[in-house]
Short mmCIF file of all heavy atoms in Angstrom, two decimals:
data_model
loop_
_atom_site.label_atom_id
_atom_site.label_comp_id
_atom_site.label_asym_id
_atom_site.label_seq_id
_atom_site.Cartn_x
_atom_site.Cartn_y
_atom_site.Cartn_z
N PRO E 180 -40.78 9.49 -44.93
CA PRO E 180 -39.92 8.32 -44.66
C PRO E 180 -39.87 8.00 -43.18
O PRO E 180 -39.83 8.89 -42.34
CB PRO E 180 -38.54 8.78 -45.17
CG PRO E 180 -38.80 9.96 -46.03
CD PRO E 180 -40.06 10.59 -45.54
N LYS E 181 -39.90 6.70 -42.91
CA LYS E 181 -39.80 6.27 -41.51
C LYS E 181 -38.34 6.41 -41.06
O LYS E 181 -37.42 6.15 -41.82
CB LYS E 181 -40.21 4.80 -41.36
CG LYS E 181 -41.62 4.50 -41.88
CD LYS E 181 -42.68 5.14 -41.03
CE LYS E 181 -44.06 4.74 -41.44
NZ LYS E 181 -44.48 5.23 -42.75
N PRO E 182 -38.13 6.85 -39.83
CA PRO E 182 -36.74 6.93 -39.34
C PRO E 182 -36.13 5.55 -39.27
O PRO E 182 -36.82 4.57 -38.98
CB PRO E 182 -36.90 7.55 -37.95
CG PRO E 182 -38.32 7.31 -37.57
CD PRO E 182 -39.11 7.26 -38.84
N ALA E 183 -34.84 5.48 -39.57
CA ALA E 183 -34.15 4.19 -39.53
C ALA E 183 -34.16 3.66 -38.11
O ALA E 183 -33.91 4.38 -37.15
CB ALA E 183 -32.72 4.36 -40.02
N VAL E 184 -34.50 2.38 -37.99
CA VAL E 184 -34.54 1.75 -36.69
C VAL E 184 -33.10 1.42 -36.28
O VAL E 184 -32.40 0.70 -36.98
CB VAL E 184 -35.38 0.47 -36.71
CG1 VAL E 184 -35.35 -0.22 -35.35
CG2 VAL E 184 -36.81 0.78 -37.13
N THR E 185 -32.68 1.99 -35.19
CA THR E 185 -31.32 1.72 -34.72
C THR E 185 -31.38 0.64 -33.66
O THR E 185 -32.08 0.77 -32.67
CB THR E 185 -30.68 2.99 -34.12
OG1 THR E 185 -31.54 3.48 -33.10
CG2 THR E 185 -30.50 4.07 -35.18
N GLN E 186 -30.66 -0.43 -33.93
CA GLN E 186 -30.61 -1.51 -32.97
C GLN E 186 -29.65 -1.14 -31.85
O GLN E 186 -28.61 -0.53 -32.09
CB GLN E 186 -30.14 -2.79 -33.64
CG GLN E 186 -31.15 -3.34 -34.65
CD GLN E 186 -30.68 -4.64 -35.24
OE1 GLN E 186 -29.51 -4.95 -35.21
NE2 GLN E 186 -31.61 -5.39 -35.80
N GLU E 187 -30.06 -1.51 -30.65
CA GLU E 187 -29.21 -1.23 -29.52
C GLU E 187 -27.93 -2.07 -29.64
O GLU E 187 -27.98 -3.28 -29.86
CB GLU E 187 -29.92 -1.59 -28.22
CG GLU E 187 -29.16 -1.21 -26.98
CD GLU E 187 -29.92 -1.56 -25.71
OE1 GLU E 187 -31.15 -1.78 -25.80
OE2 GLU E 187 -29.28 -1.60 -24.66
N LYS E 188 -26.81 -1.39 -29.55
CA LYS E 188 -25.54 -2.08 -29.69
C LYS E 188 -25.28 -2.93 -28.46
O LYS E 188 -25.30 -2.44 -27.34
CB LYS E 188 -24.42 -1.06 -29.89
CG LYS E 188 -23.10 -1.70 -30.26
CD LYS E 188 -22.08 -0.66 -30.60
CE LYS E 188 -20.76 -1.31 -31.00
NZ LYS E 188 -19.74 -0.31 -31.34
N LYS E 189 -25.02 -4.22 -28.71
CA LYS E 189 -24.74 -5.12 -27.61
C LYS E 189 -23.27 -5.03 -27.23
O LYS E 189 -22.39 -4.93 -28.08
CB LYS E 189 -25.08 -6.56 -28.01
CG LYS E 189 -26.55 -6.84 -28.16
CD LYS E 189 -26.81 -8.29 -28.47
CE LYS E 189 -28.29 -8.59 -28.58
NZ LYS E 189 -28.54 -10.02 -28.89
N LYS E 190 -23.04 -5.11 -25.93
CA LYS E 190 -21.67 -5.19 -25.44
C LYS E 190 -21.39 -6.64 -25.10
O LYS E 190 -22.22 -7.31 -24.47
CB LYS E 190 -21.50 -4.31 -24.19
CG LYS E 190 -21.59 -2.83 -24.46
CD LYS E 190 -21.35 -2.03 -23.19
CE LYS E 190 -21.40 -0.54 -23.48
NZ LYS E 190 -21.17 0.26 -22.25
N GLY E 191 -20.24 -7.11 -25.52
CA GLY E 191 -19.92 -8.49 -25.21
C GLY E 191 -18.82 -9.03 -26.09
O GLY E 191 -18.09 -8.27 -26.74
N PHE E 192 -18.73 -10.35 -26.12
CA PHE E 192 -17.66 -11.03 -26.84
C PHE E 192 -18.26 -12.20 -27.61
O PHE E 192 -19.24 -12.81 -27.16
CB PHE E 192 -16.59 -11.52 -25.86
CG PHE E 192 -15.97 -10.40 -25.07
CD1 PHE E 192 -16.60 -9.90 -23.93
CD2 PHE E 192 -14.78 -9.84 -25.48
CE1 PHE E 192 -16.05 -8.86 -23.21
CE2 PHE E 192 -14.22 -8.79 -24.75
CZ PHE E 192 -14.85 -8.30 -23.61
N VAL E 193 -17.69 -12.50 -28.78
CA VAL E 193 -18.19 -13.59 -29.60
C VAL E 193 -17.09 -14.62 -29.81
O VAL E 193 -15.92 -14.27 -30.04
CB VAL E 193 -18.73 -13.07 -30.96
CG1 VAL E 193 -17.66 -12.35 -31.76
CG2 VAL E 193 -19.36 -14.19 -31.77
N CYS E 194 -17.47 -15.88 -29.74
CA CYS E 194 -16.52 -16.97 -29.95
C CYS E 194 -16.19 -17.06 -31.44
O CYS E 194 -17.09 -17.16 -32.28
CB CYS E 194 -17.10 -18.28 -29.46
SG CYS E 194 -16.03 -19.71 -29.74
N LYS E 195 -14.88 -17.02 -31.77
CA LYS E 195 -14.44 -17.08 -33.16
C LYS E 195 -14.62 -18.48 -33.74
O LYS E 195 -14.62 -18.65 -34.95
CB LYS E 195 -12.97 -16.66 -33.28
CG LYS E 195 -12.72 -15.21 -32.92
CD LYS E 195 -11.28 -14.82 -33.12
CE LYS E 195 -10.42 -15.36 -32.00
NZ LYS E 195 -9.02 -14.86 -32.07
N ILE E 196 -14.84 -19.46 -32.89
CA ILE E 196 -14.96 -20.84 -33.36
C ILE E 196 -16.40 -21.17 -33.72
O ILE E 196 -16.69 -21.63 -34.83
CB ILE E 196 -14.44 -21.83 -32.29
CG1 ILE E 196 -13.03 -21.45 -31.83
CG2 ILE E 196 -14.47 -23.27 -32.83
CD1 ILE E 196 -11.99 -21.39 -32.92
N CYS E 197 -17.33 -20.92 -32.78
CA CYS E 197 -18.71 -21.35 -33.01
C CYS E 197 -19.72 -20.22 -33.07
O CYS E 197 -20.88 -20.43 -33.41
CB CYS E 197 -19.13 -22.35 -31.93
SG CYS E 197 -19.31 -21.60 -30.29
N GLY E 198 -19.32 -18.98 -32.70
CA GLY E 198 -20.23 -17.85 -32.77
C GLY E 198 -21.03 -17.60 -31.52
O GLY E 198 -21.91 -16.73 -31.51
N TYR E 199 -20.77 -18.31 -30.45
CA TYR E 199 -21.47 -18.09 -29.19
C TYR E 199 -21.19 -16.66 -28.70
O TYR E 199 -20.07 -16.18 -28.76
CB TYR E 199 -21.02 -19.10 -28.13
CG TYR E 199 -21.64 -18.88 -26.77
CD1 TYR E 199 -22.91 -19.32 -26.48
CD2 TYR E 199 -20.94 -18.17 -25.79
CE1 TYR E 199 -23.47 -19.10 -25.23
CE2 TYR E 199 -21.49 -17.95 -24.54
CZ TYR E 199 -22.76 -18.41 -24.27
OH TYR E 199 -23.32 -18.19 -23.03
N VAL E 200 -22.20 -15.98 -28.20
CA VAL E 200 -22.06 -14.60 -27.74
C VAL E 200 -22.14 -14.56 -26.21
O VAL E 200 -23.10 -15.05 -25.61
CB VAL E 200 -23.15 -13.69 -28.34
CG1 VAL E 200 -23.07 -12.29 -27.72
CG2 VAL E 200 -23.01 -13.60 -29.85
N TYR E 201 -21.11 -13.98 -25.63
CA TYR E 201 -21.09 -13.72 -24.19
C TYR E 201 -21.38 -12.24 -24.00
O TYR E 201 -20.65 -11.38 -24.47
CB TYR E 201 -19.72 -14.08 -23.60
CG TYR E 201 -19.59 -13.73 -22.14
CD1 TYR E 201 -19.97 -14.63 -21.16
CD2 TYR E 201 -19.11 -12.48 -21.73
CE1 TYR E 201 -19.87 -14.30 -19.81
CE2 TYR E 201 -19.00 -12.15 -20.39
CZ TYR E 201 -19.39 -13.07 -19.43
OH TYR E 201 -19.29 -12.75 -18.10
N GLU E 202 -22.49 -11.91 -23.31
CA GLU E 202 -22.86 -10.52 -23.10
C GLU E 202 -22.27 -10.02 -21.79
O GLU E 202 -22.38 -10.69 -20.75
CB GLU E 202 -24.38 -10.36 -23.09
CG GLU E 202 -25.01 -10.61 -24.45
CD GLU E 202 -26.50 -10.32 -24.46
OE1 GLU E 202 -26.97 -9.54 -23.62
OE2 GLU E 202 -27.20 -10.87 -25.34
N GLY E 203 -21.63 -8.86 -21.85
CA GLY E 203 -21.04 -8.26 -20.67
C GLY E 203 -19.90 -7.34 -21.05
O GLY E 203 -19.44 -7.33 -22.20
N ASP E 204 -19.48 -6.52 -20.10
CA ASP E 204 -18.39 -5.56 -20.37
C ASP E 204 -17.02 -6.24 -20.41
O ASP E 204 -16.14 -5.81 -21.14
CB ASP E 204 -18.39 -4.45 -19.31
CG ASP E 204 -19.62 -3.56 -19.43
OD1 ASP E 204 -20.16 -3.44 -20.55
OD2 ASP E 204 -20.05 -3.00 -18.41
N THR E 205 -16.85 -7.27 -19.61
CA THR E 205 -15.55 -7.97 -19.57
C THR E 205 -15.78 -9.47 -19.63
O THR E 205 -16.80 -9.97 -19.12
CB THR E 205 -14.77 -7.62 -18.30
OG1 THR E 205 -15.55 -7.98 -17.16
CG2 THR E 205 -14.41 -6.13 -18.25
N LEU E 206 -14.85 -10.16 -20.24
CA LEU E 206 -14.91 -11.62 -20.35
C LEU E 206 -13.94 -12.22 -19.33
O LEU E 206 -12.75 -11.89 -19.36
CB LEU E 206 -14.53 -12.06 -21.76
CG LEU E 206 -14.56 -13.57 -22.04
CD1 LEU E 206 -16.00 -14.07 -22.04
CD2 LEU E 206 -13.89 -13.88 -23.38
N PRO E 207 -14.43 -13.05 -18.42
CA PRO E 207 -13.52 -13.65 -17.45
C PRO E 207 -12.39 -14.42 -18.14
O PRO E 207 -12.63 -15.12 -19.13
CB PRO E 207 -14.42 -14.61 -16.65
CG PRO E 207 -15.81 -14.09 -16.86
CD PRO E 207 -15.82 -13.49 -18.23
N PRO E 208 -11.15 -14.29 -17.67
CA PRO E 208 -10.03 -14.94 -18.35
C PRO E 208 -10.11 -16.46 -18.35
O PRO E 208 -9.54 -17.11 -19.24
CB PRO E 208 -8.80 -14.45 -17.57
CG PRO E 208 -9.33 -13.91 -16.28
CD PRO E 208 -10.73 -13.49 -16.52
N ASP E 209 -10.87 -17.03 -17.42
CA ASP E 209 -10.98 -18.49 -17.37
C ASP E 209 -12.30 -19.00 -17.98
O ASP E 209 -12.70 -20.15 -17.74
CB ASP E 209 -10.83 -18.98 -15.92
CG ASP E 209 -11.90 -18.38 -15.01
OD1 ASP E 209 -12.58 -17.42 -15.46
OD2 ASP E 209 -12.04 -18.87 -13.89
N PHE E 210 -12.99 -18.11 -18.76
CA PHE E 210 -14.28 -18.48 -19.33
C PHE E 210 -14.09 -19.58 -20.38
O PHE E 210 -13.20 -19.54 -21.20
CB PHE E 210 -14.97 -17.26 -19.96
CG PHE E 210 -16.34 -17.56 -20.49
CD1 PHE E 210 -17.43 -17.67 -19.64
CD2 PHE E 210 -16.54 -17.75 -21.85
CE1 PHE E 210 -18.69 -17.95 -20.12
CE2 PHE E 210 -17.81 -18.05 -22.34
CZ PHE E 210 -18.88 -18.14 -21.48
N ILE E 211 -14.99 -20.57 -20.35
CA ILE E 211 -14.99 -21.66 -21.32
C ILE E 211 -16.30 -21.60 -22.10
O ILE E 211 -17.39 -21.51 -21.50
CB ILE E 211 -14.87 -23.04 -20.63
CG1 ILE E 211 -13.58 -23.12 -19.81
CG2 ILE E 211 -14.92 -24.17 -21.66
CD1 ILE E 211 -12.32 -23.02 -20.63
N CYS E 212 -16.21 -21.61 -23.42
CA CYS E 212 -17.41 -21.56 -24.26
C CYS E 212 -18.28 -22.78 -23.96
O CYS E 212 -17.80 -23.92 -24.03
CB CYS E 212 -17.03 -21.54 -25.74
SG CYS E 212 -18.47 -21.52 -26.84
N PRO E 213 -19.58 -22.57 -23.66
CA PRO E 213 -20.44 -23.71 -23.32
C PRO E 213 -20.77 -24.59 -24.53
O PRO E 213 -21.23 -25.71 -24.36
CB PRO E 213 -21.70 -23.05 -22.77
CG PRO E 213 -21.71 -21.67 -23.33
CD PRO E 213 -20.28 -21.28 -23.51
N LEU E 214 -20.52 -24.07 -25.74
CA LEU E 214 -20.84 -24.86 -26.94
C LEU E 214 -19.66 -25.66 -27.45
O LEU E 214 -19.73 -26.88 -27.61
CB LEU E 214 -21.38 -23.93 -28.05
CG LEU E 214 -22.67 -23.17 -27.75
CD1 LEU E 214 -23.08 -22.32 -28.94
CD2 LEU E 214 -23.80 -24.14 -27.39
N CYS E 215 -18.56 -24.93 -27.76
CA CYS E 215 -17.42 -25.63 -28.37
C CYS E 215 -16.28 -25.92 -27.40
O CYS E 215 -15.28 -26.52 -27.77
CB CYS E 215 -16.91 -24.83 -29.57
SG CYS E 215 -16.16 -23.24 -29.12
N LYS E 216 -16.44 -25.44 -26.14
CA LYS E 216 -15.48 -25.69 -25.07
C LYS E 216 -14.13 -25.02 -25.27
O LYS E 216 -13.14 -25.41 -24.65
CB LYS E 216 -15.27 -27.21 -24.85
CG LYS E 216 -16.54 -28.01 -24.68
CD LYS E 216 -17.38 -27.47 -23.55
CE LYS E 216 -18.65 -28.33 -23.36
NZ LYS E 216 -19.60 -27.73 -22.45
N HIS E 217 -14.05 -24.01 -26.13
CA HIS E 217 -12.82 -23.26 -26.28
C HIS E 217 -12.74 -22.18 -25.21
O HIS E 217 -13.76 -21.74 -24.68
CB HIS E 217 -12.72 -22.64 -27.68
CG HIS E 217 -12.33 -23.63 -28.73
ND1 HIS E 217 -13.18 -24.57 -29.22
CD2 HIS E 217 -11.13 -23.83 -29.37
CE1 HIS E 217 -12.57 -25.30 -30.13
NE2 HIS E 217 -11.31 -24.88 -30.23
N GLY E 218 -11.53 -21.73 -24.93
CA GLY E 218 -11.31 -20.78 -23.85
C GLY E 218 -11.46 -19.33 -24.29
O GLY E 218 -11.77 -19.02 -25.45
N ALA E 219 -11.20 -18.44 -23.34
CA ALA E 219 -11.38 -17.01 -23.56
C ALA E 219 -10.48 -16.46 -24.66
O ALA E 219 -10.80 -15.46 -25.30
CB ALA E 219 -11.12 -16.26 -22.25
N ASP E 220 -9.35 -17.13 -24.91
CA ASP E 220 -8.44 -16.66 -25.97
C ASP E 220 -9.09 -16.71 -27.35
O ASP E 220 -8.62 -16.04 -28.28
CB ASP E 220 -7.16 -17.50 -25.97
CG ASP E 220 -6.31 -17.25 -24.74
OD1 ASP E 220 -6.50 -16.17 -24.10
OD2 ASP E 220 -5.46 -18.10 -24.43
N ASP E 221 -10.12 -17.54 -27.52
CA ASP E 221 -10.78 -17.66 -28.81
C ASP E 221 -12.03 -16.77 -28.92
O ASP E 221 -12.85 -16.96 -29.81
CB ASP E 221 -11.17 -19.14 -29.07
CG ASP E 221 -9.97 -20.00 -29.34
OD1 ASP E 221 -9.09 -19.55 -30.10
OD2 ASP E 221 -9.90 -21.11 -28.80
N PHE E 222 -12.17 -15.80 -28.04
CA PHE E 222 -13.26 -14.82 -28.10
C PHE E 222 -12.72 -13.47 -28.52
O PHE E 222 -11.56 -13.14 -28.25
CB PHE E 222 -13.93 -14.68 -26.73
CG PHE E 222 -14.92 -15.76 -26.43
CD1 PHE E 222 -14.50 -17.06 -26.13
CD2 PHE E 222 -16.29 -15.51 -26.45
CE1 PHE E 222 -15.41 -18.07 -25.86
CE2 PHE E 222 -17.20 -16.50 -26.17
CZ PHE E 222 -16.77 -17.78 -25.87
N GLU E 223 -13.54 -12.70 -29.21
CA GLU E 223 -13.17 -11.33 -29.59
C GLU E 223 -14.34 -10.40 -29.28
O GLU E 223 -15.50 -10.83 -29.27
CB GLU E 223 -12.79 -11.25 -31.06
CG GLU E 223 -13.89 -11.63 -32.03
CD GLU E 223 -13.43 -11.63 -33.47
OE1 GLU E 223 -12.24 -11.45 -33.74
OE2 GLU E 223 -14.30 -11.81 -34.34
N PRO E 224 -14.05 -9.12 -29.02
CA PRO E 224 -15.15 -8.18 -28.71
C PRO E 224 -16.12 -8.05 -29.87
O PRO E 224 -15.73 -8.13 -31.05
CB PRO E 224 -14.43 -6.87 -28.45
CG PRO E 224 -13.01 -7.25 -28.15
CD PRO E 224 -12.74 -8.50 -28.93
#
């Protein structure tokens, strides 16, 4: 059997509205989603 391919876990935040992914350890508090224009409050790790 081939060993299971483990995908590298991405660090970042995803927009709960449109699914845009911001990669990074921390999300700036004033970040605005470039797609749906929602703020950082609508992102989750």
Side-chain angles (χ1 to χ4, degrees):
K181 304 291 186 293
V184 177
T185 55
Q186 292 183 340
E187 185 179 343
K188 189 173 181 180
K189 290 184 178 179
K190 292 183 178 180
F192 301 82
V193 60
C194 178
K195 295 183 283 187
I196 308 302
C197 69
Y199 176 81
V200 174
Y201 175 88
E202 292 186 23
D204 292 332
T205 58
L206 181 69
D209 59 348
F210 183 78
I211 301 297
C212 179
L214 298 181
C215 67
K216 309 304 181 190
H217 283 75
D220 291 340
D221 289 317
F222 279 73
E223 61 184 6

